[in-house]
Each structure stands twice: as structure tokens, then as C-alpha cells.
Amino acid sequence: MAQGNADQVFPVFFGVWIVLGIFSTGFFYLNKNAALKRKVWPPFISAVGILFLGFTWAMGVPSGTFFFAVPAVALITLLNLRTVTFCNSCGATLRSQNPFARPAFCSKCGAKLEP
């Protein structure tokens, strides 16, 4: 795809990413309903990854780079699914710094977290 495509698609990509950032921050960090966030998180994160790959393709990124991006986005998606948890007690969205271990306790209220 031509460079002109990137010039047309990038402003849309940028705008969508700003809107997604604002609304997802509002929903996942201000909402206290942990059960709802647990339901919404996996499809949301998957859709964001697919959306990113769609924009990448639409901007005309070369095939070699695009096919490198697919496993990178898949890894980032899996890490997001693995490292984010929600506290049943206070509803906090918690992000583990270690992708190999989930936190045992909520850093906001100290409640024990479910595995």
C-alpha cells in the first residue's frame, strides 16, 4: 500500500486511540464492578489488538514488518490478559509487574485476591 494511505489513516488511528484511552481508563480504573470488568477485559483487550493490527495493515506497513507485528501484538495481548486482575473487595484494577506471578493481595485495600 502507498504512503498516501498512511497519511489518511494515521489521523483516524490517533483519534481512535485517544478515545479508546479515555474511555478504557474511565471504565477500568473508575468503575468498581470487578465482575463486570472481568467479563469485559478479555474481549476488550483482544479487540484492541485486532484493531491495532487492522490500522497497521491499513496504513500500508510492509508485509515483513506486519508479520512481525502479529506475534508481537499477540504476546502483548496475552501479557495484558495475564497481568491484569480486579479486586473483588474494592473493585480496583491491578497490574502485576511480574508476568509470571499474579499478586496475592490488593495494593489498594489489602484484600486477598482470587487466583
Side-chain angles (χ1 to χ4, degrees):
M1 292 188 185
Q3 175 64 28
N5 231 14
D7 292 340
Q8 293 172 342
V9 174
F10 184 77
V12 176
F13 167 79
F14 193 74
V16 166
W17 234 245
I18 287 173
V19 170
L20 260 174
I22 291 168
F23 283 108
S24 65
T25 298
F27 181 79
F28 289 107
Y29 286 94
L30 300 178
N31 178 8
K32 299 301 178 196
N33 187 339
L36 177 61
K37 291 194 283 189
R38 265 189 215 96
K39 277 184 178 178
V40 172
W41 184 249
F44 172 76
I45 280 300
S46 300
V48 166
I50 292 167
L51 184 65
F52 181 82
L53 289 174
F55 275 120
T56 303
W57 176 80
M59 283 190 275
V61 170
S63 298
T65 304
F66 181 75
F67 289 114
F68 172 76
V70 171
V73 169
L75 176 63
I76 291 166
T77 300
L78 289 173
L79 286 172
N80 272 307
L81 290 171
R82 179 159 174 78
T83 60
V84 173
T85 188
F86 307 101
C87 177
N88 280 333
S89 183
C90 70
T93 299
L94 306 165
R95 194 174 278 280
S96 173
Q97 298 303 311
N98 181 352
F100 303 108
R102 291 183 182 256
F105 297 95
C106 176
S107 61
K108 305 284 188 230
C109 72
K112 184 168 175 50
L113 298 173
E114 294 179 8

